[in-house]
Amino acid sequence: MILCVGASGQLARSLVEVDGKRVRALGRPELDLTDDRSIQNALETVQPDAVINAAAFTAVDDAEANEDAAFALNRDGPEQLARLCARHDVPLIHVSTDFVFDGKKGAPYSETDRAAPLNVYGRSKLAGEEAVLDAHPRAMVVRTAWVHSPFGTNFTKLMAGLLQTREEIGVVVDQVGSPTYAPDLAAALLKLADGMQNHQCTENGIYHLAGDGGATRHEWVSVIADTLAERGLKTARIREASAREFPAPAQRPNDTRLNCMKIQQDCGLALPAWQEGVRACVLRLLSGMEGSA
Ligand SMILES: NC(=O)c1ccc[n+]([C@@H]2O[C@H](COP(=O)([O-])OP(=O)(O)OC[C@H]3O[C@@H](n4cnc5c(N)ncnc54)[C@H](OP(=O)(O)O)[C@@H]3O)[C@@H](O)[C@H]2O)c1
């Protein structure tokens, strides 16, 4: 059994959907990452073969004014989770983010590139990575990026809605990343968990795992629009905009494409091209199965 920390999030729900027989997802109040005793109880009750931490303080802008809460959930909770997993000798996959980088490299980031976060969320996640790797020899950090899915709130869902209700939308051309479809990520993480149990993958290290290739937000929205149009739906005009038009409390890195060669070489894992994930997500939304969840 694989214990997923976090139940209502995009990745947690995707993990359950990919293999509900094998994944037990627990979230608050039953499993609260800021409550050591609830972590201990969950490990004793579930007796997992591996743990995936999909819980985080992910509200990037809110984190700016809530630094203590962001660090409590993104650093202190994962550190305690890692300590307890070490005590039970259970491998741990801790999910992290492309926002540990400042986006100034001008090329996809490798695991060995220097992390230099620009905002509180990124600093708290980087601190979490370091704490987890220090606390547990069988902990692996997997950095992903620009996660979207049929679940919760995310860029694909938001833009698919706006494209169908507005005449024109402005979408930024000066932010580049690696859009990652949560169900693809979930399937790969489950294989990685198997690899860790069998000691097939390098443990206690960092891997990048995201949708293959890089996209601007504008290119991402163009694929959403093309998929809607294929289905005969009318969509808004897409205007090229600059990130400066959308000021937000947290500064965001401009280019955080992730180089995912290492996990492919070490563990044989690669996610499909980002366009395929976006298309799959839009088609799923159109099928109405999870559109308003
Ligand atoms: N979203 C992105 O674009 C993105 C990009 C890069 C990396 N990531 C990383 O990918 C991972 C998954 O992201 P996601 O998009 O699936 O996140 P999400 O949808 O925002 O879900 C996060 C989940 O964390 C859980 N949580 C919050 N406080 C908790 C607590 N005290 N104890 C236990 N669980 C708690 C919540 O589940 P409950 O309410 O059930 O407790 C929440 O649903 C995170 O590590 C995130 O940093 C995400």
Side-chain angles (χ1 to χ4, degrees):
M1 183 63 75
I2 291 173
L3 172 63
C4 169
V5 183
S8 66
Q10 297 190 76
L11 179 57
R13 291 181 66 181
S14 300
L15 283 161
V16 171
E17 189 176 78
V18 169
D19 195 346
K21 287 205 180 101
R22 216 152 55 101
V23 176
R24 178 93 190 273
L26 293 179
R28 292 168 295 173
E30 201 172 0
L31 173 44
D32 185 335
L33 208 43
T34 62
D35 173 2
D36 300 356
R37 193 168 300 167
S38 77
I39 302 174
Q40 177 69 26
N41 284 345
L43 289 172
E44 282 169 6
T45 310
V46 178
Q47 303 239 327
D49 302 306
V51 174
I52 299 176
N53 179 23
F57 191 119
T58 55
V60 175
D61 289 319
D62 289 352
E64 293 298 303
N66 295 289
E67 187 159 349
D68 289 350
F71 273 80
L73 195 49
N74 291 345
R75 178 192 60 196
D76 304 339
E79 179 176 27
Q80 187 58 11
L81 175 67
R83 279 215 188 96
L84 291 170
C85 286
R87 199 177 293 163
H88 290 254
D89 194 26
V90 181
L92 168 67
I93 297 174
H94 174 68
V95 182
S96 192
T97 175
D98 57 327
F99 274 26
V100 298
F101 296 116
D102 64 14
K104 294 175 183 158
K105 182 179 176 186
Y109 281 97
S110 302
E111 290 81 351
T112 48
D113 284 322
R114 192 177 66 90
L118 297 179
N119 53 43
V120 169
Y121 169 71
R123 285 201 296 279
S124 66
K125 291 291 288 184
L126 179 60
E129 293 182 356
E130 291 163 356
V132 161
L133 292 175
D134 279 351
H136 188 6
R138 299 185 70 197
M140 188 185 286
V141 168
V142 175
R143 291 182 185 143
T144 192
W146 289 20
V147 177
H148 66 107
S149 71
F151 310 116
T153 307
N154 60 72
F155 190 73
T156 297
K157 282 180 80 171
L158 181 72
M159 290 297 148
L162 291 178
L163 280 164
Q164 291 176 84
T165 51
R166 300 264 175 94
E167 284 295 310
E168 180 181 279
I169 57 173
V171 186
V172 304
V173 289
D174 48 4
Q175 279 178 354
V176 191
S178 301
T180 303
Y181 187 44
D184 290 340
L185 176 64
L189 291 179
L190 291 176
K191 286 186 188 148
L192 190 60
D194 290 339
M196 286 180 84
Q197 286 168 57
N198 302 327
H199 300 273
Q200 282 164 348
C201 293
T202 311
E203 293 178 346
N204 201 257
I206 298 175
Y207 282 111
H208 290 175
L209 185 58
D212 190 36
T216 65
R217 297 255 175 207
H218 190 277
E219 287 166 334
W220 184 350
V221 172
S222 299
V223 173
I224 300 171
D226 289 347
T227 310
L228 293 171
E230 272 172 33
R231 296 291 153 132
L233 295 164
K234 187 174 166 294
T235 60
R237 279 188 306 282
I238 307 170
R239 176 176 59 80
E240 294 191 355
S242 158
R244 283 193 305 276
E245 284 185 42
F246 304 96
Q251 193 187 346
R252 282 164 170 75
N254 286 336
D255 179 357
T256 54
R257 285 169 292 158
L258 295 179
N259 176 330
C260 303
M261 289 306 294
K262 186 178 166 213
I263 200 163
Q264 188 165 6
Q265 283 161 1
D266 288 1
C267 313
L269 294 174
L271 299 194
W274 68 266
Q275 295 94 329
E276 284 181 38
V278 172
R279 215 177 117 73
C281 189
V282 174
L283 292 175
R284 173 83 182 268
L285 292 172
L286 288 177
S287 78
M289 286 166 67
E290 306 288 346
S292 58

